[in-house]
Amino acid sequence: MDFKTLLKNDFILLDGAMGTLIQKSGAKYDHCPETLNLTHPELITSFHRAYIEAGADIVYTNTFGANEYKLEESGRSVEEVISAAIANAKKACEGTDTLVALDIGPIGMLLEPAGALRFEEAYEYFKRQILAGADADLIVFETMTDLYELKAAVLAAKENSDKPIIATMTYERTGRTFTGVSPASAALTLTGLGVDALGVNCSLGPDELEPVVSEMTKYTDLPLIVKANAGLPDPNSNEYSIMPERFAQCVKALLPYGVKFAGGCCGTTPEYIRELKNMLSKEAFKPCPKTADTCVCSASTVVEINGPRIIGERINPTGKKLFKQALVDNNIDYILTQALSQVSGGAEILDVNVGHPEIDEKKMMERVLKAIQSVCDAPLQIDSTKPDVLEAGLRCYNGKPIVNSVNGEEKSLSAVLPLVKKYGASVVGLTLDEGGIPKTAEGRFEIAKRIVSRAEALGIDRRDVYIDCLTLTVSAEQDACRETLRALHRVKAELGCKTCLGVSNISFGLPNRELVNSTFLTMALEEGLDLPIINPNIDAMTGAVRAYRVLSGIDKNSVEFIESYNDAAPQVKPKAQEDISLDAAVYSGLKKEGAAVTERLLENTDPMEIVNNMLIPALDKVGEGFEKGKIFLPQLIQSANTAQACFEVIKKHLSKAGGENVSKGKIILATVKGDIHDIGKNIVKVLLDNYGYTVVDLGKDVDPQLVVDTAVEQDIKMIGLSALMTTTLKSMEDTIKLVRETPELQNPDGSSKCVVFVGGAVLTKDYAMKIGADYYCRDAKESVDTAKRVLG
Amino acid sequence: MIALEPLNRNESLRYMGGAGVKLNDEMTRLMDDCEARLLRAARPKYLYKIIDLPCAELTPGEDIKRHLEGCSKAALICATLGAEVDKLIRVSQISDMARAVVLDSMASVAIEQVCRRVDALIAESLPEKFLTFRYSPGYGDYPIELQKTFLTLLDAPRKIGLSVSESCLLIPAKSVTAIAGISDKPVEKKRRGCAVCSLRETCRYRKNGDHCGF
C-alpha cells in the first residue's frame, strides 16, 4: 500500500495519542519521551499495534520532539532516535497495510521576529529530521503554532524528500494559533506550498473545531485533517472530558467540510480510534470545493481579491532620494515607517521593491521583508526584476505573496513561473515581451493569453495570475490610454484573470497630476481593474477606490466607506501657540510648534546657530530634568522627537541652500548576538538622532562580523553595543574583541580607531571596562554625553 | 485565562523613572491610550504544577535552598501576556518611541498583576498551606538556564505558547517563570528585595534610595 492508493479510500484513519499511552503506562524516561524508542522498543511497538488493531491506516512515529534542540540533554542523536522509532512502527505494521508517518512537531524555540531562531536555522533542524526519517512512508508536521516555522518545515521536506506531506496546526479558542495564524492563512499558504492534506490537531475537542475547519475549507480544495483532543483535561484528575462515542459523533459533524483524515490527539486512546472507525464505515467522503476567490495573505490576514484592493506603491526607491539613501544606510526603520503609514492610509497589500545598484538587493529584500512582517499584517508583493531576488523573498515570506512580475519574454516566463509555482504565490503578468509593449489592446491581450497558458501548464491557477496591461504616459501618447483600458477589459472578460495596474504613470508631464490619476483610476476600475497600485496616502486615490466600491455595490451598505470617513471631519486641534520659544517647545514635546518656530527663526538666524545655541541646549535642559527625576522617559523621548522635527526643517533649509551637512558624525548601534530585546538601544538611537548624529542601526541579534564590516565599509569610528541579559554579555565581549583585532580598524601604531561604548540593564562599569569597552553608559542620556565627548 | 484589571499607574511610572513626576495632560492621554491598547492586546495565560521537595534538579545553589527552607512542596509557575503584546511594543517602536516606552512599562506591570492572581489561585487551592513569594531563575545564584527546564516540565510551549531562546530570553518577552515554596507553617513574607536582584549594581531606583517594588 502507498499513500496514493490509500487516498482512494473514502476516509483515512489516523492513530490516537502516543503521549497519553506513555503516561498511562508509567514508563520512565530521561528528558524526552522519544528516547523510549531506544530504551523500551517493545512498549512503543505495542502502542502502535494497539492503534493498528483499532483500525488506523497511518500511525505516527514517536518522534514528535526528536529534534536537535529537544534531544540535546538526552545524549541521543536525532538519527538514532528517529531510525529506532521508524523500526518500532514498521514492526507493528508488519503484515498489515498500515503506513508509517514520520512525526515532526515544533522545534521548541520561537522563530524570528518574535523569537531568536532564524528561518534558515529552523530549516536545518527539520532537514536533519527528514533525512533521518527517509524510511517512513510519509511526513507529518503537527501541533504547529507558527506558520513561518511550518513553512520552513514543508520546504525542508520538499527539498530533501519525495514523500507525501501532511500538516496540521493547533488553534486556541479564539480561532487563532498562539502566534496569531488564522486557519485561512494556513490553508492558503500550505496549499500553495504543495502539501497533500492539511488541517488541525490538538487544540480543543472536536466539538469546538467547527469554526476552524469551516474557515479552512473555504480556502483550499485539499482534503482536511482533524486530529482533535478528547476535549479538555480536568485539572485535578487529568481525565479528558469527551468520551470515545461522543468524540466520533463530533468528528462526524465536521465531515461535510471535506474532512478525509481523522484521528485523535491528547487524551485519546485506541478506543477512540475504534469508535471513529465505526462511525466512518457508515459515511461517504464528500469533497468540499473552495469557495473563496483568489487570495493573498500574511500569517494573520487574508485579502480576497473579490473587488478592487489597493496595493501601496511607496516602498520603492525609484525617483526617491531619501529612500535610496535609506537603502544605502541600511536604515530599515525608514522603510518600516513607509509600510505603516501606507496601511493606515488604506493600502491592503504592499509592494516591496528595494532594487538599487549600490546595494546587495537579495540580502536587502530578505532583510526588509522580514522586518515588515514583524510589524505589519498586510500581505506583500515581492517586486524585483531579478529571479534570484524574487526567490530569496519568496523563501522568507510568511504567507502567500504576489510576485511582481513575469512578462511575455521567454526568459522571464521560464525563470519566474516555476518559482511562483514552487512557493505557491500569485503573480503579476506584464503584457510586454521581446518586442516591447504592443501598441494595441489586441497585442497586449495576446501576451496575456500566453502568460496565462504558460502558468496553467505549470499548474498555477489562472485566477492567481494578475495581468497588468501597462499604463503609458498620456501626454506622450494620448491614444495609449484607451488601448490600456480596452486590453484590461478584454483580459478581465475573456481570460477570467484578475487585473492590476500601476496608475500614476498616466499623468507624467502634466499639471494637476492627482486629478488625472484619480480620473484614470476611476475609468480603469469601471473596466474591471482589481488591483490598483497607487500611493494610498493621497486621499483622492484611496477615496476613488472606496467610492467605487460603494457605487458598484461591493461595499454593502457602505459600511467600509462610512468607517473610513466617519471621523474625517476636520479635528478640532488645540491651536498652536504662536509665541512659544524653541526651548519651551522642545521641553514640552510640542512637535508642530517646534517645527513652526524653527521655520520662523531660519528667516533671520544662521542654521548652525539654531542647532548649537538653541536646540542642543534645550535638549540638554530636558536631559538634566530627566537625570534629576523631574521628567520621565517618555517625556524625554517626546522632547527628542520635537528636536528631530526641528532638525528636519533645518536640513531641508540647508539642502535647498546646497549648504553644509548638519550631521555631527556617524555612529553604529547594535544589540548584540543572541539578544533580541532592543528597546533600550532604540531609545539611545532616538536621542542620538536628535542630537544630530547619523545612526547606522544594525538592529538586534547582530553578528560581530556585521558590526566590523559596517565600521570598515562606512569608515565609522564610534560603535555602541547593547546587551540586556547576563547570558549575552559574552557576545558583547566577542564583538569588542573582533573590533580590536581587525587590522582595518587599527591605527598604524596598533591602537584602535574605534571608540566602543556599551550599555544594558545588567552591565556595570567595571564589567564594561573588563571586556574592553571605552565607555560605559548608564542610560540614553549618558550615551549622548559620550558621543559629544568623542565626536563633538 | 485571566482577564486583566486596570493597571497600577504608579508602578508603571516608577519603571519609567518617573515616580513623583507630575503628569501633563498629554502624558495622561498617552497613558490612557496605552493602557487601553495593552488591555486589548494581552491574552494572559498561566500554568502551574505542584512538585515534591527536595528536588535536586530544580533547586541548585544556596539561595533557592534558603528560600524554600521548611517547604515540603513547591509550585512551578509560568505566565505570559502573549505574543500580541510583544508585537504592539515592536510596532510602537517604529511609529512612536514614547508610546513604546509607556507600553513596555505597563506590560511589566500587567504581567506582575497576572502573577499575583496566579499566586492567589494557588493559595486558594491549598487552604491549609502557606506560600513563599515567587522566586525566579536568574535571581541571586539561581541559574537562569533553569527556565528551559521549567517550561519543559510545564509543557509551556505547547500549552500556552511560551518558550525560551538559546540565550535564555523568554518569548513572548512579557512572561515570567518562577517557583514558590509551599509550607505547612506560616512563612515570613518579605519583599524579594535588592539583595537577590541582578540589577542591583546599576539600578536607578536604588541609587535614589527607592526600590522597584520587587
Side-chain angles (χ1 to χ4, degrees), chain A residues 44-92:
Chain A
I44 299 300
T45 300
S46 74
F47 295 154
H48 289 312
R49 201 168 285 135
Y51 282 123
I52 295 167
E53 281 162 10
D57 299 309
I58 295 175
V59 291
Y60 288 17
T61 54
N62 177 31
T63 52
F64 182 80
N67 62 54
E68 221 169 302
Y69 173 70
K70 284 189 177 160
L71 287 177
E72 196 182 342
E73 281 167 39
S74 74
R76 305 289 193 169
S77 75
V78 172
E79 289 72 19
E80 59 179 325
V81 171
I82 288 183
S83 55
I86 292 179
N88 294 338
K90 289 239 153 153
K91 196 166 171 203

Side-chain angles (χ1 to χ4, degrees), chain A residues 117-167:
Chain A
L117 189 68
R118 284 166 212 267
F119 180 80
E120 297 75 15
E121 289 169 340
Y123 176 93
E124 293 301 325
Y125 276 100
F126 290 119
K127 180 178 168 183
R128 186 165 169 194
Q129 288 169 273
I130 285 151
L131 292 177
D135 291 337
D137 300 305
L138 66 149
I139 298 166
V140 50
F141 300 110
E142 63 164 347
T143 327
M144 292 287 181
T145 59
D146 181 358
L147 188 59
Y148 208 31
E149 182 175 4
L150 184 49
K151 174 166 177 175
V154 172
L155 282 180
K158 285 266 167 195
E159 292 173 356
N160 296 285
S161 155
D162 52 7
K163 303 272 188 289
I165 301 165
I166 67 176

Side-chain angles (χ1 to χ4, degrees), chain A residues 193-216:
Chain A
L193 288 172
V195 303
D196 296 275
L198 61 93
V200 50
N201 79 298
C202 208
S203 318
L204 313 153
D207 54 331
E208 295 187 85
L209 287 178
E210 197 268 349
V212 171
V213 176
S214 63
E215 182 178 324
M216 278 185 167

